[in-house]
């Protein structure tokens, strides 16, 4: 398989590790710069067995290249409105509302809301906001001319929930290839490997709905047991320091080369 990798991914300090993995595995690849305002991928190749990796921009634009396989998994089943029908109460944020970022929201006294982009992941990072923080953020985001946020950009809003620990899972062909914690809260003891009950929960979710041939699932442990935090597109999901990048690239190469 041929990897087309975006060079200028500034938000991920571990991005460079994909080049180490590709070199070690002796897999063909090219590196490309893509400006945030790009309308298409300015790259030509005779190869059809292309997999893109980088920002949401390259994942989104690669969908135009319909002859690339696997190309990009952006969109489709990754939308909350699709996968929530299958995962329902297993989602951390099962009850959500969708609004334009420019809409005035109703806030209770001292209320916290979890707010994230709806259909354009990564136009900002989802997190917990209070009323003042959100109003300031929305105002500045709309004033900023360098981002892709407009008055019609949609956001997904849910109740802020407490998590104890969170992990990222990389799934290829219905199998968990790599799993690693990225967050521990409330003085939770450190664990090097994701617990067996967490992996069992994830496997149950894959059996419920194997969302794509390759995707990323973030899970968390809560007072109500394990939940899915969110589903991410594998073409634009970031690595953590404990991610086994080589295993993921090897699995993708083997699975999609057969």
């Amino acid at each position: 398989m041929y990897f087309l990798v975006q060079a200028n991914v500034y938000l991920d300090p571990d991005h460079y590790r994909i080049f180490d993995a590709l070199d070690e595995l002796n897999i063909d690849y090219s590196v490309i710069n893509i400006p945030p305002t790009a309308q298409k991928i300015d790259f030509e190749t005779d190869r059809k067995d292309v997999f893109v990796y980088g920002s949401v921009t390259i994942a989104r634009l690669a969908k135009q290249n319909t002859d690339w396989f696997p190309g990009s998994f952006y969109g489709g089943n990754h939308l909350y409105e699709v996968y929530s029908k299958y995962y329902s109460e297993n989602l951390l944020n099962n009850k959500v509302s969708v609004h334009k970022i420019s809409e005035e929201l109703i806030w209770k006294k001292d209320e916290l809301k979890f707010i994230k982009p709806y259909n354009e992941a990564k136009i900002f990072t989802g997190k917990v906001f209070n009323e003042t923080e959100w109003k300031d953020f929305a105002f500045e985001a709309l004033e900023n001319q360098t981002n892709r946020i407009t008055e019609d950009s949609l956001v997904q809003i849910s109740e802020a929930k407490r998590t104890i620990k969170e992990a990222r899972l990389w799934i290829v062909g219905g199998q968990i290839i790599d799993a690693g914690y990225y967050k521990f809260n409330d003085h939770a003891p450190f664990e090097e490997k994701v617990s067996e009950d967490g992996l069992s929960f994830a496997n149950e979710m894959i059996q419920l709905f194997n969302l794509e041939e390759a995707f990323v699932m973030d899970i968390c442990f809560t007072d109500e047991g394990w939940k899915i935090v969110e589903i991410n597109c594998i073409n634009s999901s970031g690595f953590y320091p404990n991610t086994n990048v080589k295993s993921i690239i090897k699995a993708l190469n083997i699975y999609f080369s057969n």
Side-chain angles (χ1 to χ4, degrees):
M1 195 163 69
Y2 190 76
F3 280 70
L4 182 59
V5 185
Q6 186 175 348
N8 53 326
V9 180
Y10 304 115
L11 295 179
D12 185 358
D14 288 283
H15 179 67
Y16 72 92
R17 294 169 59 207
I18 192 170
F19 303 115
D20 296 340
L22 290 165
D23 287 334
E24 284 181 43
L25 293 165
N26 199 27
I27 294 173
D28 291 338
Y29 70 92
S30 289
V31 182
I32 185 173
N33 275 303
I34 298 184
T37 55
Q39 298 300 309
K40 66 183 184 70
I41 296 176
D42 189 16
F43 181 81
E44 292 185 11
T45 176
D46 293 330
R47 300 280 294 261
K48 305 297 184 190
D49 57 336
V50 178
F51 179 89
V52 304
Y53 182 79
S55 70
V56 171
T57 302
I58 193 172
R60 176 172 52 84
L61 295 177
K63 295 296 286 185
Q64 299 172 12
N65 298 70
T66 53
D67 56 342
W68 288 356
F69 178 81
S72 170
F73 295 101
Y74 179 83
N77 291 338
H78 292 83
L79 292 173
Y80 176 87
E81 65 196 48
V82 177
Y83 68 73
S84 62
K85 293 174 185 173
Y86 298 89
Y87 299 140
S88 58
E89 71 276 359
N90 294 297
L91 292 165
L92 177 65
N93 300 304
N94 185 27
K95 296 178 181 177
V96 308
S97 58
V98 178
H99 305 263
K100 291 181 180 179
I101 195 171
S102 53
E103 278 184 42
E104 194 73 33
L105 303 180
I106 297 170
W107 295 80
K108 298 172 187 171
K109 189 175 186 297
D110 299 326
E111 184 183 11
L112 298 174
K113 298 181 192 283
F114 178 74
I115 307 177
K116 58 176 278 189
Y118 179 60
N119 52 357
E120 272 201 274
K122 310 287 175 70
I123 53 172
F124 68 88
T125 302
K127 63 173 193 149
V128 173
F129 293 88
N130 63 31
E131 183 176 5
T132 303
E133 288 169 341
W134 174 249
K135 286 182 174 177
D136 288 348
F137 173 82
F139 175 80
E140 290 170 11
L142 289 169
E143 289 290 307
N144 188 342
Q145 300 299 311
T146 62
N147 61 37
R148 290 186 290 110
I149 298 174
T150 70
E151 290 188 351
D152 294 324
S153 294
L154 298 177
V155 296
Q156 175 180 315
I157 302 173
S158 55
E159 178 188 341
K161 301 278 185 70
R162 173 179 170 271
T163 66
I164 297 167
K165 53 188 178 181
E166 300 179 26
R168 171 156 289 185
L169 279 54
W170 298 75
I171 299 155
V172 179
Q175 304 295 315
I176 298 171
I177 303 302
D178 186 60
Y181 288 114
Y182 60 84
K183 191 176 183 182
F184 291 92
N185 296 325
D186 295 339
H187 308 294
F190 174 77
E191 299 170 61
E192 185 147 344
K193 294 185 177 180
V194 177
S195 61
E196 286 301 320
D197 55 329
L199 296 176
S200 295
F201 166 78
N203 277 312
E204 286 174 23
M205 295 304 100
I206 295 166
Q207 295 301 316
L208 266 181
F209 183 46
N210 187 25
L211 187 134
E212 275 292 0
E213 288 185 277
F215 66 104
V216 172
M217 178 187 288
D218 289 349
I219 61 173
C220 65
F221 188 67
T222 73
D223 295 330
E224 299 174 350
W226 286 94
K227 301 285 183 183
I228 296 173
V229 179
E230 63 182 358
I231 300 297
N232 295 293
C233 177
I234 198 165
N235 303 89
S236 56
S237 292
F239 305 129
Y240 290 106
N242 60 351
T243 303
N244 189 332
V245 180
K246 186 176 178 181
S247 290
I248 295 162
I249 300 304
K250 185 177 181 180
L252 286 166
N253 189 55
I254 291 171
Y255 184 80
F256 291 107
S257 295
N258 290 336

